[in-house]
Amino acid sequence: MTWMMVVQWLHVLAGLTWFGGYLVMALGVWPALLRRPAGEARAVWEGLEKGVGPLMLVSGTVVFWAGVVRGTLLGPVRSFEVLFGSAYGLTFVTALLLTLGLTVYGAVSSRKLPAMVWEGDRFRTDAAAYLRRSYALSLGLFAAVLACMVLMRFGL
């Protein structure tokens, strides 16, 4: 097995974990939590967050760095000329920037999430709307990164 294959599969598996985690939270966990009493939902969230938070951090980090290695050391982007002078390079830069944006947004939103969802021992009135907006933005960024991955597969 070549290094390219190892890095490619690491990139794909970490990406599936990261994206899958967002999907499960957005479409499964949060709708279920919002149907529970606020105190119970918060206790469940705090327990989940202790495991899910580090998993998301690690998988996102692996996606980013494996992508950098895949595109540069093991791929075609070996100069600024290729990076900014080819379709592949521009798509690569776009994917990196979108991934960084997704990472920063995820870190910031996860820190402020409890304050945006709970107010004392009850849900905030706009909690569901906030969660829908936040996860819609994250999933939209994931879709844009995935589109970049497909384009790069075809050399664009």
Side-chain angles (χ1 to χ4, degrees):
M1 185 177 308
T2 67
W3 281 112
M4 175 64 91
M5 289 175 65
V6 170
V7 171
Q8 180 74 17
W9 278 105
L10 194 60
H11 184 66
V12 169
L13 291 174
L16 288 172
T17 302
W18 197 26
F19 178 64
Y22 270 87
L23 280 177
V24 167
M25 295 305 295
L27 302 176
V29 172
W30 277 111
L33 289 179
L34 291 171
R35 289 190 300 268
R36 307 299 309 155
E40 177 185 319
R42 188 169 198 158
V44 169
W45 166 250
E46 288 171 354
L48 277 174
E49 198 276 330
K50 288 178 182 167
V52 172
L55 176 64
M56 299 300 272
L57 175 67
V58 168
S59 61
T61 301
V62 170
V63 166
F64 179 80
W65 287 111
V68 169
V69 169
R70 165 70 180 86
T72 58
L73 299 175
L74 301 174
V77 181
R78 300 204 179 192
S79 69
F80 284 110
E81 193 174 313
V82 172
L83 186 63
F84 295 109
S86 69
Y88 184 96
L90 293 172
T91 305
F92 181 79
V93 168
T94 301
L96 286 178
L97 292 174
L98 287 168
T99 302
L100 283 173
L102 180 59
T103 302
V104 170
Y105 180 74
V108 170
S109 65
S110 69
R111 286 181 195 201
K112 73 177 190 174
L113 187 137
M116 298 301 290
V117 173
W118 289 282
E119 194 168 56
D121 61 348
R122 64 183 181 82
F123 287 115
R124 292 176 53 110
T125 57
D126 60 344
Y130 168 76
L131 290 165
R132 277 192 302 274
R133 282 190 314 272
S134 180
Y135 279 96
L137 177 59
S138 295
L139 293 172
L141 288 170
F142 271 114
V145 171
L146 180 60
C148 289
M149 298 300 110
V150 171
L151 290 171
M152 284 188 288
R153 174 66 181 98
F154 294 103
L156 301 172

